[in-house]
mmCIF file of all heavy atoms in Angstrom:
data_model
loop_
_atom_site.group_PDB
_atom_site.id
_atom_site.type_symbol
_atom_site.label_atom_id
_atom_site.label_comp_id
_atom_site.label_asym_id
_atom_site.label_seq_id
_atom_site.Cartn_x
_atom_site.Cartn_y
_atom_site.Cartn_z
ATOM 1 N N ARG A 1262 3.394 2.532 -36.228
ATOM 2 C CA ARG A 1262 3.850 2.946 -34.894
ATOM 3 C C ARG A 1262 2.738 2.966 -33.861
ATOM 4 O O ARG A 1262 2.954 2.672 -32.705
ATOM 5 C CB ARG A 1262 4.476 4.325 -34.980
ATOM 6 C CG ARG A 1262 5.825 4.342 -35.719
ATOM 7 C CD ARG A 1262 6.372 5.737 -35.764
ATOM 8 N NE ARG A 1262 7.689 5.756 -36.437
ATOM 9 C CZ ARG A 1262 8.423 6.869 -36.654
ATOM 10 N NH1 ARG A 1262 7.921 8.047 -36.245
ATOM 11 N NH2 ARG A 1262 9.566 6.790 -37.272
ATOM 12 N N THR A 1263 1.523 3.297 -34.249
ATOM 13 C CA THR A 1263 0.423 3.423 -33.296
ATOM 14 C C THR A 1263 -0.307 2.103 -33.055
ATOM 15 O O THR A 1263 -0.918 1.908 -31.987
ATOM 16 C CB THR A 1263 -0.581 4.454 -33.812
ATOM 17 O OG1 THR A 1263 -1.029 4.059 -35.151
ATOM 18 C CG2 THR A 1263 0.027 5.841 -33.888
ATOM 19 N N PHE A 1264 -0.246 1.172 -33.993
ATOM 20 C CA PHE A 1264 -0.999 -0.076 -33.816
ATOM 21 C C PHE A 1264 -0.486 -0.916 -32.642
ATOM 22 O O PHE A 1264 -1.307 -1.442 -31.855
ATOM 23 C CB PHE A 1264 -0.934 -0.899 -35.115
ATOM 24 C CG PHE A 1264 -1.696 -2.195 -35.044
ATOM 25 C CD1 PHE A 1264 -3.102 -2.203 -35.077
ATOM 26 C CD2 PHE A 1264 -1.039 -3.394 -34.922
ATOM 27 C CE1 PHE A 1264 -3.791 -3.399 -35.008
ATOM 28 C CE2 PHE A 1264 -1.715 -4.574 -34.851
ATOM 29 C CZ PHE A 1264 -3.107 -4.585 -34.892
ATOM 30 N N PRO A 1265 0.833 -1.104 -32.416
ATOM 31 C CA PRO A 1265 1.280 -1.868 -31.234
ATOM 32 C C PRO A 1265 0.841 -1.267 -29.915
ATOM 33 O O PRO A 1265 0.518 -1.969 -28.963
ATOM 34 C CB PRO A 1265 2.797 -1.867 -31.374
ATOM 35 C CG PRO A 1265 3.034 -1.646 -32.806
ATOM 36 C CD PRO A 1265 1.954 -0.729 -33.264
ATOM 37 N N VAL A 1266 0.807 0.069 -29.834
ATOM 38 C CA VAL A 1266 0.391 0.714 -28.587
ATOM 39 C C VAL A 1266 -1.089 0.439 -28.288
ATOM 40 O O VAL A 1266 -1.483 0.126 -27.167
ATOM 41 C CB VAL A 1266 0.639 2.241 -28.678
ATOM 42 C CG1 VAL A 1266 0.146 2.941 -27.420
ATOM 43 C CG2 VAL A 1266 2.118 2.514 -28.908
ATOM 44 N N ILE A 1267 -1.944 0.501 -29.322
ATOM 45 C CA ILE A 1267 -3.369 0.213 -29.149
ATOM 46 C C ILE A 1267 -3.597 -1.240 -28.746
ATOM 47 O O ILE A 1267 -4.383 -1.549 -27.863
ATOM 48 C CB ILE A 1267 -4.134 0.551 -30.444
ATOM 49 C CG1 ILE A 1267 -4.020 2.068 -30.742
ATOM 50 C CG2 ILE A 1267 -5.578 0.136 -30.348
ATOM 51 C CD1 ILE A 1267 -4.510 2.463 -32.120
ATOM 52 N N LEU A 1268 -2.823 -2.159 -29.392
ATOM 53 C CA LEU A 1268 -2.964 -3.576 -29.059
ATOM 54 C C LEU A 1268 -2.540 -3.869 -27.620
ATOM 55 O O LEU A 1268 -3.186 -4.627 -26.897
ATOM 56 C CB LEU A 1268 -2.119 -4.414 -30.039
ATOM 57 C CG LEU A 1268 -2.178 -5.924 -29.881
ATOM 58 C CD1 LEU A 1268 -3.601 -6.421 -30.099
ATOM 59 C CD2 LEU A 1268 -1.223 -6.591 -30.873
ATOM 60 N N GLN A 1269 -1.460 -3.219 -27.162
ATOM 61 C CA GLN A 1269 -0.998 -3.431 -25.785
ATOM 62 C C GLN A 1269 -2.003 -2.936 -24.762
ATOM 63 O O GLN A 1269 -2.237 -3.559 -23.727
ATOM 64 C CB GLN A 1269 0.341 -2.739 -25.582
ATOM 65 C CG GLN A 1269 1.012 -3.003 -24.238
ATOM 66 C CD GLN A 1269 2.363 -2.350 -24.125
ATOM 67 O OE1 GLN A 1269 2.771 -1.632 -25.048
ATOM 68 N NE2 GLN A 1269 3.051 -2.613 -23.037
ATOM 69 N N ARG A 1270 -2.666 -1.804 -25.026
ATOM 70 C CA ARG A 1270 -3.656 -1.271 -24.113
ATOM 71 C C ARG A 1270 -4.882 -2.180 -24.017
ATOM 72 O O ARG A 1270 -5.431 -2.397 -22.944
ATOM 73 C CB ARG A 1270 -4.069 0.112 -24.572
ATOM 74 C CG ARG A 1270 -2.992 1.162 -24.364
ATOM 75 C CD ARG A 1270 -3.461 2.534 -24.807
ATOM 76 N NE ARG A 1270 -2.410 3.551 -24.579
ATOM 77 C CZ ARG A 1270 -2.545 4.838 -24.945
ATOM 78 N NH1 ARG A 1270 -3.667 5.258 -25.524
ATOM 79 N NH2 ARG A 1270 -1.551 5.685 -24.702
ATOM 80 N N THR A 1271 -5.294 -2.758 -25.142
ATOM 81 C CA THR A 1271 -6.432 -3.684 -25.102
ATOM 82 C C THR A 1271 -6.124 -4.935 -24.291
ATOM 83 O O THR A 1271 -6.966 -5.445 -23.532
ATOM 84 C CB THR A 1271 -6.838 -4.055 -26.529
ATOM 85 O OG1 THR A 1271 -5.697 -4.579 -27.208
ATOM 86 C CG2 THR A 1271 -7.380 -2.853 -27.291
ATOM 87 N N ILE A 1272 -4.916 -5.431 -24.425
ATOM 88 C CA ILE A 1272 -4.530 -6.628 -23.650
ATOM 89 C C ILE A 1272 -4.500 -6.323 -22.167
ATOM 90 O O ILE A 1272 -4.938 -7.117 -21.331
ATOM 91 C CB ILE A 1272 -3.157 -7.142 -24.137
ATOM 92 C CG1 ILE A 1272 -3.280 -7.676 -25.571
ATOM 93 C CG2 ILE A 1272 -2.619 -8.224 -23.207
ATOM 94 C CD1 ILE A 1272 -1.936 -8.012 -26.206
ATOM 95 N N GLN A 1273 -4.018 -5.138 -21.782
ATOM 96 C CA GLN A 1273 -4.004 -4.773 -20.359
ATOM 97 C C GLN A 1273 -5.395 -4.634 -19.784
ATOM 98 O O GLN A 1273 -5.660 -5.079 -18.660
ATOM 99 C CB GLN A 1273 -3.244 -3.453 -20.197
ATOM 100 C CG GLN A 1273 -1.741 -3.593 -20.415
ATOM 101 C CD GLN A 1273 -1.023 -2.262 -20.271
ATOM 102 O OE1 GLN A 1273 -1.675 -1.221 -20.086
ATOM 103 N NE2 GLN A 1273 0.301 -2.267 -20.367
ATOM 104 N N THR A 1274 -6.322 -4.093 -20.520
ATOM 105 C CA THR A 1274 -7.692 -3.970 -20.045
ATOM 106 C C THR A 1274 -8.338 -5.335 -19.865
ATOM 107 O O THR A 1274 -9.075 -5.578 -18.905
ATOM 108 C CB THR A 1274 -8.515 -3.143 -21.018
ATOM 109 O OG1 THR A 1274 -8.402 -3.694 -22.341
ATOM 110 C CG2 THR A 1274 -8.045 -1.696 -21.035
ATOM 111 N N GLN A 1275 -8.063 -6.269 -20.767
ATOM 112 C CA GLN A 1275 -8.592 -7.627 -20.628
ATOM 113 C C GLN A 1275 -8.051 -8.310 -19.383
ATOM 114 O O GLN A 1275 -8.770 -9.000 -18.667
ATOM 115 C CB GLN A 1275 -8.285 -8.440 -21.881
ATOM 116 C CG GLN A 1275 -9.050 -7.993 -23.120
ATOM 117 C CD GLN A 1275 -8.682 -8.795 -24.360
ATOM 118 O OE1 GLN A 1275 -7.858 -9.686 -24.271
ATOM 119 N NE2 GLN A 1275 -9.311 -8.464 -25.492
ATOM 120 N N ARG A 1276 -6.764 -8.123 -19.100
ATOM 121 C CA ARG A 1276 -6.156 -8.741 -17.929
ATOM 122 C C ARG A 1276 -6.745 -8.160 -16.634
ATOM 123 O O ARG A 1276 -6.993 -8.874 -15.659
ATOM 124 C CB ARG A 1276 -4.649 -8.551 -17.934
ATOM 125 C CG ARG A 1276 -3.935 -9.381 -18.986
ATOM 126 C CD ARG A 1276 -2.438 -9.156 -18.927
ATOM 127 N NE ARG A 1276 -1.724 -9.985 -19.897
ATOM 128 C CZ ARG A 1276 -0.415 -9.923 -20.121
ATOM 129 N NH1 ARG A 1276 0.334 -9.088 -19.427
ATOM 130 N NH2 ARG A 1276 0.123 -10.717 -21.010
ATOM 131 N N ILE A 1277 -6.963 -6.851 -16.621
ATOM 132 C CA ILE A 1277 -7.516 -6.233 -15.413
ATOM 133 C C ILE A 1277 -8.950 -6.738 -15.151
ATOM 134 O O ILE A 1277 -9.311 -7.041 -14.015
ATOM 135 C CB ILE A 1277 -7.515 -4.702 -15.569
ATOM 136 C CG1 ILE A 1277 -6.080 -4.194 -15.546
ATOM 137 C CG2 ILE A 1277 -8.339 -4.022 -14.483
ATOM 138 C CD1 ILE A 1277 -5.925 -2.740 -15.936
ATOM 139 N N GLY A 1278 -9.754 -6.905 -16.212
ATOM 140 C CA GLY A 1278 -11.104 -7.423 -16.037
ATOM 141 C C GLY A 1278 -11.095 -8.860 -15.524
ATOM 142 O O GLY A 1278 -11.886 -9.232 -14.673
#
Side-chain angles (χ1 to χ4, degrees):
R1262 289 180 178 179
T1263 56
F1264 180 75
V1266 177
I1267 297 169
L1268 181 62
Q1269 186 177 5
R1270 288 181 179 177
T1271 55
I1272 293 171
Q1273 288 179 356
T1274 54
Q1275 290 178 1
R1276 287 181 178 176
I1277 291 169

